[in-house]
Structure formats: C-alpha cells, structure tokens
C-alpha cells in the first residue's frame, strides 16, 4: 500500500478555501487588536505606521512564496521539521522540533488561550477567577474536535476565521464612520509624538511578529488535496487576505483614534468601538477578539500535533506519538499529548516567559527552513517542481537576511531572552544523544 491509501496515513481532504482559512487563522490572533498601539508609539505619524504594515506584509509574502515551493516539493506533514531533516540531517530537525513542538507551540497556545478566556469572561460578565478554567476548557474542546479528524477541525477553523475577519471588518466600518470624511488626517504628522530615526527599525519587530504563523499550513501539508497546486494558491490567497485586513484595520485605528490616541491606547480595538457604541461596543469587540484567539489556538494545536506525530514516526519521540488513527486519520496520541502539556503550562502560569525564550528559536527555524530551498534547488536540479518561487535566489535571500536582522535586533533589545533561547536549543543536543543511545540499547 502507498502512503496515500494506507489506513495509517493522512487523507488529503483540505481544499484551497480550507488552506486559505488555515493561513488566516494561524496569522490573525490577538496581535492586530493590540500591536498597532506599540507601532504607533515608535512612529511619528500615520504615514510611516502604514508603511511599516505594508512593508511587513510584503516581507511576509516573500516568505510565504518560499514556503509555497517547499510545500509543493515535499507535501507531507511536518513542515519545517521535514525540510530540515532532509536537507541538514536529523539533529537540526530534532533541535527545531525540541524547541517548537515541546515548548513554543504549547506555550503560545497557553498564552493565547489565556487571552481568549480573558476576553470571553469580559464578554459574558464572568469574574477573573474563571479565566484559567475557561482557558483549559477551550483547549480540551479544541483537542476533542480535532480527534475526529481534519475535516472536523477545518470546519471549526473556517467558522472562526470568518468570525475574526468579521471583527476586523467591523473595526474598519467603525473607523470610517468616526472619520466623518476626514481621511486626510490619517497620514498627518503627530507633533506630540517625536521619535528617533532608529525607532523605525524597532517598530518593524512587532509588525513582523504579528504577521507570524503563516507556516501552519505546511505542517498540515499531508492532508491537502492536490498539494502541488493547492498549497501555493492557499498560501498566497490567505496571506493577501491578512495583509489587506491588517492595513485596513490600521487605517481604522488612525481615523477613529488619531495617531496620538492610538499611541496612548492600551486596547485600541476596544477604545475604537467604545467611541461609537459605548461599553456595548467594547463588549462586542471582546467577543470578536475571543473568536480570533480561539481560532488561532485551533490551528496551532492541529499543526503542532502533526509535527509531534512526524517526530514520533521518525523515532524521535515514543512510537505511540507517531501513530495515526486508522478510523479518523488523526494523530490522536500527539493531539492528546500536546493538549495535556498545554494545560500544564497554562496552570503553571510561567508560559509567557517560555514563549519569550523560544521566539529566537522559532525565527531561526524559519530562516533555516527557507534556507533549505537552496539545498533543494541544488540537490534536485532536474526534479520537476510544479511551483517555483519567482526571482530566485533574491526572494529567499531577502527573507533569510531580514529574519536574521530581526533576530539580531531582538538579541540587542533582549539579550537575556535571546541567550536563554539559544540555551534551550543547545539543551536539545544532549537529549538527542541520550535518546538515540537509549534507542540503540
């Protein structure tokens, strides 16, 4: 039996629409509802602010096009882990999986699930002591739905992706309503908020982090129909939708709050809605943010479980983790393991620091993951590729160099976090050696 027909392999059930919604769901979380205020603090007017969001979108699109070629060349579950394993060997792949699937994925889900629970409790009027129980219930529910297979998970994700886009559309409509036809003020200079020239680079960092998460579709590539055609289309369509939504949302913030108001806001989305609809508007936006964060958790758990399953199938984790249920075609053990560890991190409460420590590792994974494209082009020069990234090698070089620049800037701004990230990655090497030795024994 081939891997496509085996009862212990994934089934290809995701189409272009499903893939695009996964991209949108993986990128749009809570960031766009908060990060624009940080960017406004580091810019002097609406013009550089919008330019940063457009620039960040173009740089991310560059990475998306590279991932489109990688996904079409190797349309199996695992994403970056798979590319690193094939191009550079098992140790680099394990180090990526060690930091991502065991720390970054569950840590980020724990953080975002807490954000979901916080906004959910605000929306329905529950006291703060309910935040952790609601967050745990959300994780258990997401894992439970995904245990039934990718179709059930994709349906849930599609619903919440549409809801988060509806929340952004509502923001845009409210911002334009508050502008009263004075859109020219969007680009006006903010005399009350002078910034240094170097702050522009610092403002790009939160923009790029808000655009992160576009790689989840490649983690699920083993379940995409006609992947050589579907993956590039879904990645491009989904990311274009994200860029458009982000730019329009920032236009709405600038028209409704002004640059100074946006820079001073702690919760710009809620403040914008409150201006037109009062506290009712703020509660409506809390529901929208809850939907957005819930959708992100769904995608991160589904994608992270596929990485864990691929590692288990390679013998890098217990073999049971690598199993695929023959009835649902879902990695049920990997899903349960990832969900359980996420709940532990949420109840522990220090997951935010873990995520900070592994951010550099995540972006290093992106840099080396796209770096494998050079290896594939050299090693398989005659291999037919249904999709090739345009302007090669310029596009992957631009993305890799930009990511390395972001890592350098992060290390300068937060040397402790960057150093701890490298320590966590390095700790994976003795774990890998001990694991392989135990396997041989």
């Amino acid at each position: 039996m081939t891997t496509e027909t085996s009862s212990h392999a994934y089934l290809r059930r995701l189409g272009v629409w499903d893939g695009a919604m996964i991209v949108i769901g993986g990128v749009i979380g809570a960031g766009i509802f908060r990060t624009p205020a940080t960017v406004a603090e580091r810019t002097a007017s609406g013009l550089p602010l919008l330019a940063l969001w457009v620039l960040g979108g173009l740089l991310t699109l560059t990475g998306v096009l590279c991932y489109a070629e990688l996904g079409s060349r190797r349309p199996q579950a695992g994403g970056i882990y798979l590319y690193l394993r094939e191009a550079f060997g098992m140790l680099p792949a394990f180090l990526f999986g060690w930091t991502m699937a065991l720390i970054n994925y569950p840590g980020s889900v724990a953080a975002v699930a807490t954000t979901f629970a916080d906004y959910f409790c605000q929306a329905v009027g529950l006291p703060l002591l309910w935040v952790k129980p609601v967050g745990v219930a959300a994780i258990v529910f997401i894992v439970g739905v995904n245990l039934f297979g990718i179709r059930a998970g994709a349906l849930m994700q599609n619903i919440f992706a549409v809801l988060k886009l509806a929340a952004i559309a509502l923001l845009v409509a409210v911002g334009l309503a508050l502008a009263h036809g004075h859109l020219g003020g969007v680009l006006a200079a903010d005399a009350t908020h002078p910034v240094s020239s170097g702050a522009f680079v610092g403002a790009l960092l939160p923009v790029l982090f808000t655009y992160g998460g576009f790689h989840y579709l490649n983690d699920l590539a083993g379940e995409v129909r006609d992947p050589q055609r579907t993956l590039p289309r879904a990645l491009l369509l989904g990311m274009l939708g994200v860029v458009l939504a982000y730019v329009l949302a920032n236009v709405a913030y600038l028209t409704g709050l002004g640059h100074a108001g946006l820079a001073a806001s702690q919760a710009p989305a809620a403040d914008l809605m409150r201006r037109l609809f009062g506290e009712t508007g703020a509660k409506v936006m809390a529901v929208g943010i809850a939907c957005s964060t819930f959708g992100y958790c769904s995608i991160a758990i589904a994608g992270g479980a596929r990485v864990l399953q691929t590692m288990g199938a390679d013998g890098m984790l217990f073999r049971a983790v690598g199993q695929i249920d023959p009835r649902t075609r879902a990695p049920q053990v990997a899903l349960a393991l990832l969900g359980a560890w996420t709940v532990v991190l949420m109840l522990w409460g220090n997951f935010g620091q873990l995520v900070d420590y592994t951010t550099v590792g995540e972006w290093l994974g992106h840099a080396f993951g796209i770096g494998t494209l050079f290896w594939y082009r050299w090693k398989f020069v005659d291999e037919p590729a249904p999709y090739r990234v345009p302007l090669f090698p310029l596009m992957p070089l631009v993305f890799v160099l930009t990511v390395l620049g972001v890592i350098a800037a992060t290390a300068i701004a937060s040397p402790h976090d960057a150093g701890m990230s490298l320590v966590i990655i390095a700790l994976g090497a003795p774990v890998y050696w001990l694991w392989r030795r135990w396997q041989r024994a």
Side-chain angles (χ1 to χ4, degrees):
M1 287 187 295
T2 67
T3 56
E4 297 296 328
T5 59
S6 170
S7 62
H8 297 281
Y10 292 116
L11 287 181
R12 298 192 179 277
R13 295 170 171 170
L14 301 175
V16 174
W17 171 257
D18 299 315
M21 291 298 102
I22 287 170
V23 174
I24 290 171
V27 176
I28 302 178
I32 189 58
F33 303 103
R34 291 180 171 182
T35 305
T38 303
V39 181
E41 289 178 2
R42 302 176 185 181
T43 54
S45 71
L47 179 60
L49 184 145
L50 291 178
L52 281 167
W53 286 99
V54 172
L55 176 61
L58 292 175
L59 288 172
T60 308
L61 278 170
T62 300
V64 164
L65 293 174
C66 295
Y67 271 101
E69 178 172 340
L70 288 169
S72 65
R73 283 179 176 272
R74 295 296 181 267
Q76 289 87 36
I80 299 173
Y81 170 84
L82 179 68
Y83 315 143
L84 292 176
R85 184 193 70 191
E86 191 166 68
F88 302 132
M90 194 62 79
L91 177 58
F94 178 84
L95 294 179
F96 171 79
W98 160 263
T99 55
M100 294 298 296
L102 298 180
I103 299 176
N104 193 281
Y105 282 161
S108 62
V109 172
V112 177
T114 302
T115 303
F116 156 78
D118 188 20
Y119 280 102
F120 179 86
C121 290
Q122 289 181 39
V124 301
L126 289 174
L128 289 179
L129 60 88
W130 281 91
V131 168
K132 283 195 175 182
V134 168
V136 170
I139 293 169
V140 172
F141 178 77
I142 289 170
V143 170
V145 171
N146 278 278
L147 290 176
F148 289 97
I150 194 62
R151 283 310 311 164
L155 176 61
M156 177 174 64
Q157 169 53 35
N158 290 350
I159 292 171
F160 281 95
V162 170
L163 288 174
K164 70 176 63 182
L165 289 175
I168 292 176
L170 180 60
L171 272 181
V172 174
V174 170
L176 293 177
L178 290 172
H180 298 298
H182 301 293
L183 290 176
V186 170
L187 307 180
D190 182 3
T192 65
H193 200 74
V195 295
S196 65
S197 57
F200 186 87
V201 176
L204 183 60
L205 298 179
V207 170
L208 290 178
F209 289 136
T210 308
Y211 274 114
F214 54 87
H215 62 281
Y216 287 115
L217 182 58
N218 286 59
D219 293 341
L220 298 159
E223 291 160 280
V224 175
R225 289 195 306 266
D226 190 12
Q228 283 79 10
R229 291 167 58 87
T230 301
L231 275 168
R233 292 178 180 180
L235 283 164
L236 185 58
L237 180 63
M239 202 63 220
L240 286 174
V242 170
V243 174
L244 180 63
Y246 278 9
V247 173
L248 289 177
N250 278 276
V251 170
Y253 290 136
L254 290 170
T255 56
L257 302 175
H259 186 275
L262 177 58
S265 177
Q266 297 295 316
D271 289 345
L272 186 63
M273 293 293 293
R274 193 177 286 112
R275 286 202 174 190
L276 197 60
F277 300 112
E279 289 304 316
T280 301
K283 282 196 171 184
V284 169
M285 186 46 56
V287 173
I289 298 174
C291 290
S292 182
T293 49
F294 186 91
Y296 169 83
C297 292
S298 175
I299 288 299
I301 287 175
R306 269 65 180 180
V307 176
L308 278 176
Q309 183 273 321
T310 306
M311 293 179 69
D314 283 346
M316 291 294 99
L317 295 171
F318 293 105
R319 288 291 182 183
V321 180
Q323 294 176 358
I324 299 173
D325 184 78
R327 183 174 57 87
T328 63
R329 304 300 178 93
Q332 293 189 340
V333 176
L335 283 165
L337 180 64
L338 183 59
W341 182 233
T342 301
V343 169
V344 169
L345 290 181
M346 174 176 284
L347 295 177
W348 178 40
N350 288 327
F351 50 80
Q353 197 170 45
L354 273 177
V355 174
D356 289 341
Y357 288 166
T358 57
T359 296
V360 169
E362 177 184 5
W363 283 87
L364 275 174
H366 282 307
F368 282 99
I370 287 184
T372 63
L373 194 55
F374 296 97
W375 182 84
Y376 280 111
R377 288 285 188 105
W378 167 74
K379 185 71 174 180
F380 301 99
V381 64
D382 296 324
E383 180 183 72
Y387 173 81
R388 290 179 178 269
V389 62
L391 302 178
F392 182 87
L394 179 61
M395 277 199 170
L397 275 176
V398 167
F399 185 85
V400 170
L401 292 176
T402 301
V403 168
L404 293 178
V406 168
I407 292 172
T410 304
I412 293 171
S414 305
H416 179 261
D417 289 350
M420 286 300 298
S421 182
L422 295 177
V423 168
I424 289 172
I425 295 172
L427 285 174
V431 172
Y432 171 83
W433 179 78
L434 290 171
W435 180 263
R436 296 303 291 262
R437 184 176 181 180
W438 178 81
Q439 279 186 317
R440 287 193 295 269

